[in-house]
Amino acid sequence: MNITKENIDDLNAVVKINITEEDYQNKVAEILQDYRKKANIPGFRKGHVPMSLVKKQYEKPVLIDEVNKLLQESLSKFLVEEKLDILGNPLPKTQEDFSWDADQFSFEFELGLAPQFEVNLQPKKAITSYKIIADKKMLNDQIENIQERYGKMISQTDIAENSNITGTFVNEEKEIEKKSTFKLDKVKGKTNKKSFIGAKVGDVITLKTKGLFTDDHLLQNHLGVAHDDAHGLDIEVQFTVEEISETEPADLNQELYDKLFGEGVVKDEKEFKSRLKEDAEKQFEQQSDQQLLNAVTEGLIESTKFDLPAEFLQKWIAVAGEKQLTEQEAEEEYTRSEKGLRYQLIEGKISKDNNLQVTFEELKEFAKGFIKSQMAQYGNANPEEKELDEIAGRILGNQEEAKRLSEQLMSQKLLTFYKENVKLKAKEVSFDDFVKEVYK
């Protein structure tokens, strides 16, 4: 057997494999001999079938199977030994004059080679790293929500501006009959609010659904209609008032602090506000980190220039899936996936150059941390180490779950690396400003 590689250019190569009769004949003869021993052919005793008959019936399919095995094994071994960094898989070249009746065979495979490039982690324009601050307005809104949530419900005789209203919406034609509770301040428009003001338990109010609430999603929830139906819904409904109340806000006192954070953890209003701010900003870290990862990814793709074996990749995409694609379909799929492929190569280069890898022990500890946080949500804040080990073992035994967790851990490692090595510009913003700037 003889294997050679010919470079077409920096991104494309052809591997040629020549297989002679000496490479496969012993294995083929061994298999045919085994067939002879086991063959049941009418007119012959088992094990006494003439070899000529066995060869006539089985030699060619056995030869084809063995040559293909030899071909795949030798090609895989060659790629590893030559340390070839390829994209996609080798593609066999069609040979019009090929025949399995020959004694020697020659095969050619096209290769798409990964490009050589360097990653610049210090672009001219620094990437913005956001720190989201819980501003005074956000904290005040959160405190009001907490006071209302833990407040005392007081019955009212008639509906006022500050009322909580419970009742049933009815429309027979649309088969709507839904009991709901809402605050009057969620009702939109002076005319609609005026319909409620002064109403008592038992009163029936006729309303138009169009523009009834401040958000169409509230209309969906309170009327029990489908999402698509809620948008632009313009019908008449009858609302029967069943309960009226107002919420007396809870006092900011030790009793409330203990309910929220545990006994004695927070001791006064200053500590309460400080803890709310700290918790809110900790929740925002995940969003700002994801934004930074996205921004760095886009920045690296933009600043790291290299060519790809586009023609080869399009040919490979055409035949790689369950269904073969047309040339146009393959080109469109390549266009959609090119950016992702570029970042895969950049990420691989960064990981290799900086020894960023996920070990099994790291993955196991990461899985245990994830499990522990999940269990804490259900009241088990201190699970035993043995229990965590057993659950982590089961999760990592699932290949898909193990892959998902491994990708999450690698993203964390890359994020930490980027924070330490990429040219960043820190910027403090409120959550509203963050949304405006990032998702504008």
Side-chain angles (χ1 to χ4, degrees), residues 159 165-172 192 194-208 236-244:
I159 297 174
I165 309 163
T166 297
T168 301
F169 288 100
V170 174
N171 178 289
E172 292 183 2
N192 286 328
K194 190 176 179 181
S195 299
F196 284 95
I197 296 293
K200 301 180 186 302
V201 172
D203 287 353
V204 178
I205 305 169
T206 300
L207 302 160
K208 287 281 190 179
E236 197 171 80
V237 292
Q238 278 69 50
F239 178 78
T240 302
V241 181
E242 297 170 8
E243 294 177 37
I244 309 167

Side-chain angles (χ1 to χ4, degrees), residues 265-294:
V265 175
V266 170
K267 300 180 182 64
D268 55 37
E269 188 173 334
K270 183 179 179 181
E271 285 187 13
F272 170 61
K273 290 181 177 179
S274 177
R275 178 63 183 266
L276 287 182
K277 180 177 173 67
E278 180 185 334
D279 289 350
E281 290 176 356
K282 193 173 290 185
Q283 290 179 3
F284 291 146
E285 280 181 13
Q286 186 175 357
Q287 287 171 279
S288 58
D289 281 348
Q290 186 59 56
Q291 187 279 329
L292 177 60
L293 193 59
N294 293 342

Side-chain angles (χ1 to χ4, degrees), residues 327-394:
E327 188 175 323
Q328 183 178 344
E329 287 172 336
E331 185 178 347
E332 290 171 353
E333 181 59 31
Y334 172 75
T335 301
R336 283 193 293 270
S337 59
E338 182 184 358
K339 183 182 281 191
L341 174 58
R342 287 183 177 277
Y343 183 64
Q344 276 186 329
L345 292 170
I346 293 168
E347 182 185 305
K349 172 76 172 169
I350 291 171
S351 300
K352 183 179 178 182
D353 290 352
N354 298 279
N355 197 30
L356 300 178
Q357 55 185 329
V358 173
T359 66
F360 180 77
E361 282 306 313
E362 287 176 325
L363 184 58
K364 186 178 178 182
E365 288 304 310
F366 181 72
K368 284 162 67 175
F370 175 77
I371 296 162
K372 197 171 181 179
S373 66
Q374 291 290 101
M375 293 175 78
Q377 292 180 21
Y378 294 95
N380 187 357
N382 294 296
E384 292 185 5
E385 195 68 19
K386 183 181 178 182
E387 185 180 11
L388 289 172
D389 283 332
E390 289 174 353
I391 298 173
R394 288 199 297 271

Side-chain angles (χ1 to χ4, degrees), residues 6-155:
E6 178 186 347
N7 288 332
I8 307 302
D9 53 40
D10 290 341
L11 298 172
N12 295 274
V14 173
V15 170
K16 297 181 180 180
I17 302 178
N18 293 317
I19 296 178
T20 66
E21 190 175 7
E22 293 177 356
D23 298 318
Y24 62 81
Q25 63 180 357
N26 289 341
K27 187 65 177 175
V28 170
E30 180 184 330
I31 293 172
L32 291 176
Q33 189 63 43
D34 190 53
Y35 277 13
R36 186 188 181 200
K37 292 177 184 177
K38 298 175 181 177
N40 285 314
I41 297 179
F44 298 95
R45 283 186 298 149
K46 190 174 182 180
H48 290 76
V49 179
M51 180 57 78
S52 59
L53 192 59
V54 173
K55 284 186 175 181
K56 184 178 181 181
Q57 190 164 349
Y58 298 110
E59 185 174 34
K60 183 167 286 186
V62 169
L63 182 148
I64 292 172
D65 188 48
E66 287 306 309
V67 169
N68 278 323
K69 286 181 185 176
L70 187 61
L71 190 62
Q72 295 304 320
E73 289 170 3
S74 57
L75 178 59
S76 297
K77 185 178 178 182
F78 178 79
L79 295 177
V80 172
E81 290 177 347
E82 295 294 313
K83 297 179 181 178
L84 293 177
D85 192 3
I86 65 171
L87 302 178
N89 291 317
L91 289 178
K93 294 185 70 174
T94 302
Q95 301 176 59
E96 293 182 3
D97 58 348
F98 181 84
S99 172
W100 285 108
D101 292 326
D103 293 329
Q104 300 186 28
F105 307 102
S106 181
F107 301 92
E108 294 186 358
F109 292 87
E110 295 179 69
L111 303 181
L113 305 178
Q116 299 296 313
F117 59 90
E118 296 299 325
V119 180
N120 179 18
L121 297 171
Q122 298 294 321
K124 292 180 181 179
K125 186 178 179 181
I127 294 171
T128 301
S129 174
Y130 290 96
K131 178 174 176 56
I132 305 174
I133 303 299
D135 58 14
K136 193 172 182 179
K137 179 182 179 301
M138 174 178 284
L139 288 175
N140 288 339
D141 288 345
Q142 192 171 357
I143 290 169
E144 284 182 16
N145 287 334
I146 290 171
Q147 287 182 290
E148 184 172 330
R149 195 160 70 244
Y150 289 88
K152 186 191 301 181
M153 301 295 286
I154 301 173
S155 294

